[in-house]
Amino acid sequence: MKTSPRRAPFASAKRGLLAGAAAASLCAGAAAAQVAVEPPGAAESAPGRDGLVPGAMYVEADSLVRDDKRQVTTATGDVEARYDERTLRADALSYDETRGVVEAQNVQIINPDGSVEFAREITFDDDMSAGIAQGFSARLPQNVKLAAASAVRRNPQVNELNRAIYTPCDVCADSAEKGGDGPTWSIQADKVVQDRDRQLIYYRHAVFRLFGAPVLYMPLFWHPDPQAERASGFLPPDISISDRRGVSYEQPYLFVLSPYSDLTLSPQINAKVPPFLNARYRKRFYSGEIDVRAGYTYAEDFDGEGDSFGEQTSRSYILARGAFQLDENWDWGFTAERSSDDLLFDKYEIGDVYESRGPYLADDRRLISQVYAIRQDEDSYLSVAAFDIQGLRPGDDDRTFPTVAPLVEGRWSPDARFAGGRMRFEVDAVALERDLSPASTAGARIPGLDSRRVVAQANWRTSFVSTAGVRLEPFVNLRADAYHLSDVPSEGYGDKSLTRGMATVGADLSWPFFRRFNDKTVVLEPLLQVAASPRAKQIIVGTDSTGEPVYLDEDSLAFEFDETNLFLADKFPGFDLIEGGLRATAAGRATILWDDGRRASLLIGRSFRDEEITAFPERTGLRDTASDWVVAAEAQPLRGLSFFSRARLDGDSLDVRRAETGANVAMARGSGFFRYLWDDLDINGVKRENLDLGGEVFLTKNWGLSAYGNRDMVQDAWVVRDLGIVYRDECTRIEVIYRREDTVIGRLGPSESVSVRLTLATLGEPIYAN
């Protein structure tokens, strides 16, 4: 039976899903299979995703009966009601107008966010502000399942679940019926209370179960409501056991100070050493944000066994950053990184220390504090910055590190073309102040070299492609430098000023050849670069123990000659050293491209010049008139598998001077990587050979093995090695890991540990127990 939609005089009042559906049925006035009710002014509103305008209701059932004497409306048989983008389905639904009560049996409610709620019986008042459900369950976002013997809504702000169970794991009905173990983990509680005003969830007599077995009982605890955007409360703790600190418990607590700021205090209580307080403050502004981490204790120092020594004193650190946008082109920011003790982060196991917080990066176990302003648009870039560095490595002396203030970098590429090519203008200026020279000793204080430098460059480049496929790119580079140095060893630690200029003219030439073979394309490409410049004028600041000149080099110390700089006209990455003379670079590159996405490539090349350049260190392989050979290869032979390799071979003997190779694999059953590095002389002048590898493989759907190792092959010792057993499913990851660290840092010696890492879906960060 079907009736025409009718309008009720009170249909514009906002009601809950059940009450609204029942009221719509009531206003129909007679039995009907389908009833639609629209509020006044509905025609002026756009329909929602369910096809109904705001405030409109729709009810459909096999039978709809109105008892005028009792003022009760009942819908039975495949009842479906839609209101406010929610859908209610039930076997039966009734609305008692005199009591203002809605009742339904075998109910399913589908919410706009996709969550679904079920109940055997449900009773609500007519505005859905209070009610009770028997046999309640819900399937929420993030695969969360929730069930309770009964659910009580006391008012719009307080909900209670009695005899409840919570889990994000898959639950198999067949397994449960056959006496299976149920979900991997779950939380059961006598009562769960959701307080929306306080944005908290309270648990009474809660039991945490893992693989069906109870592992933790909590008579009372609470945490922020996951549905709340931000709320104060406890965060997951960090529990560990170590030789250094004994049993350690760190409990973070989050204070929400405003909608845009919060403070996290994390006191760390240790059995063998005094406590340590960690804190983190975050705040967002309309134009940016700040993030400040800090820690403090008042204690003696201690060694790797937790034995104290020395005097009690304040020990602290700060790791802070700020980033702001002034307008669409200008940004500015800062970082502040300092520690009172070189080993403070190691002793108290403070993580995420040596990470990028600003545009300028320090090496591992080095802290950098900086302030910067950057302007960037499509044609130009300008950066003004200042920074200094604190060293935490054994033997580091902060007085030998320079303070850089200011550092100015600018580039401009105008749209207009000049002589058929593109112009680019660059400027670089920097001032470095250093208290002590790295050559200083305890008995001899040597002043540190100070320098101020301004560099201006103009570059022009264009390209031509012939009908035969030959690509020619001529270029011209012009450069002018001005220096002022203080405490120069060659000048009796006096001052020195100088200027120099350089002009480079050259061209890049390539001629790729293509050939198609069945399902692949082969590309052979000869490459050539020729460049000519006047003899380079290097800046000499002293002599070494053998009488050889020492050149000013503040920005090219970490230079490595490989395929990334093979075709640079000036191979020095910085400005202090400069390459000149007549030179040429020749290389050949071969590439195979398969139609299914596989690929492989090989590059071989070397450089030549008319005379040797002693400014290049011997270890780089670029000092002689003919450089070392550069070889680089990469391949992706299978989906999920890739290799890379690069090497530098002696130009005369072809002996390997430096080699680096590695692979990455990502398959359905696991993933892994390895890296191998061999260098006969690294930037510190010592031989280096290192192997780094790791990965995990799953032998079954849920169980696997993990491993990681870093080996110093020169010392013939493992730096660190891990071996673990892993269990994982859709809601749980458990790792049992054995670790041994052989590295000795200061008073902290080798260590062994067995740790258990438990990661539970929807319950925040991983929980670590050592």
Side-chain angles (χ1 to χ4, degrees), residues 205-254:
H205 302 294
V207 177
F208 174 79
R209 292 182 178 272
L210 187 62
F211 296 104
V215 296
L216 181 64
Y217 167 75
M218 296 159 285
L220 177 67
F221 81 101
W222 64 91
H223 63 74
D225 187 343
Q227 295 182 356
E229 290 186 5
R230 304 174 73 246
S232 299
F234 289 103
L235 300 177
D238 189 343
I239 305 172
S240 64
I241 301 175
S242 67
D243 293 338
R244 298 168 185 171
R245 293 176 290 124
V247 178
S248 177
Y249 180 85
E250 183 172 344
Q251 177 60 68
Y253 190 90
L254 173 68

Side-chain angles (χ1 to χ4, degrees), residues 154-431:
R154 300 196 177 279
N155 56 59
Q157 304 303 321
V158 178
N159 296 320
E160 293 183 7
L161 298 178
N162 298 302
R163 294 169 57 195
I165 182 171
Y166 165 97
T167 182
C169 305
D170 290 342
V171 179
C172 179
D174 293 340
S175 175
E177 292 175 357
K178 297 176 182 178
D181 295 333
T184 305
W185 70 269
S186 62
I187 298 177
Q188 292 178 297
D190 287 351
K191 180 173 289 189
V192 179
V193 179
Q194 180 187 36
D195 191 330
R196 296 182 185 275
D197 279 340
R198 295 181 174 86
Q199 295 187 330
L200 292 173
I201 293 183
Y202 301 89
Y203 295 80
R204 293 182 183 176
H205 302 294
V207 177
F208 174 79
R209 292 182 178 272
L210 187 62
F211 296 104
V215 296
L216 181 64
Y217 167 75
M218 296 159 285
L220 177 67
F221 81 101
W222 64 91
H223 63 74
D225 187 343
Q227 295 182 356
E229 290 186 5
R230 304 174 73 246
S232 299
F234 289 103
L235 300 177
D238 189 343
I239 305 172
S240 64
I241 301 175
S242 67
D243 293 338
R244 298 168 185 171
R245 293 176 290 124
V247 178
S248 177
Y249 180 85
E250 183 172 344
Q251 177 60 68
Y253 190 90
L254 173 68
F255 295 89
V256 175
L257 306 179
S258 75
Y260 316 105
S261 63
D262 58 50
L263 172 66
T264 303
L265 296 180
S266 305
Q268 183 188 98
I269 309 302
N270 306 296
K272 298 177 68 173
V273 300
F276 192 91
L277 177 63
N278 291 288
R280 184 172 190 176
Y281 175 75
R282 300 182 299 177
K283 184 171 183 178
R284 285 188 176 274
F285 303 87
Y286 74 95
S287 61
E289 63 179 355
I290 60 173
D291 186 341
V292 181
R293 294 174 56 194
Y296 177 82
T297 187
Y298 186 81
E300 298 176 336
D301 202 354
F302 60 90
D303 58 20
E305 300 298 323
D307 297 326
S308 300
F309 62 92
E311 298 181 357
Q312 283 193 333
T313 186
S314 293
R315 305 181 188 278
S316 61
Y317 74 88
I318 184 171
L319 301 170
R321 70 175 182 89
F324 304 90
Q325 186 174 18
L326 300 178
D327 58 32
E328 63 179 9
N329 294 326
W330 277 100
D331 297 310
W332 81 275
F334 68 89
T335 69
E337 302 179 355
R338 278 295 182 269
S339 174
S340 62
D341 298 55
D342 290 351
L343 301 177
L344 188 70
F345 301 116
D346 304 279
K347 292 176 179 178
Y348 290 97
E349 295 187 11
I350 298 165
D352 300 325
V353 175
Y354 310 105
E355 62 181 23
S356 171
R357 296 183 177 87
Y360 299 97
L361 310 178
D363 294 335
D364 188 35
R365 302 194 67 81
R366 302 271 171 82
L367 302 178
I368 183 170
S369 298
Q370 59 190 291
V371 60
Y372 61 88
I374 298 174
R375 185 192 185 280
Q376 187 171 6
D377 58 27
E378 294 182 355
D379 301 324
S380 63
Y381 173 88
L382 175 64
S383 170
V384 181
F387 62 83
D388 66 357
I389 297 171
Q390 179 186 9
L392 303 183
R393 299 177 184 175
D396 276 351
D397 187 341
D398 294 343
R399 294 175 297 174
T400 65
F401 293 135
T403 298
V404 181
L407 171 59
V408 180
E409 300 174 282
R411 298 186 292 272
W412 176 47
S413 298
D415 286 335
R417 300 183 71 84
F418 177 77
R422 293 296 302 269
M423 292 292 299
R424 177 173 173 146
F425 301 93
E426 300 182 34
V427 63
D428 179 274
V430 66

Side-chain angles (χ1 to χ4, degrees), residues 33 72 113 210 271 329 341 375 412 447 559 634 663-664 692 764:
V72 174
D113 62 359
L210 187 62
N329 294 326
D341 298 55
R375 185 192 185 280
W412 176 47
F559 172 69
E634 62 178 10
N664 298 286
D692 192 51

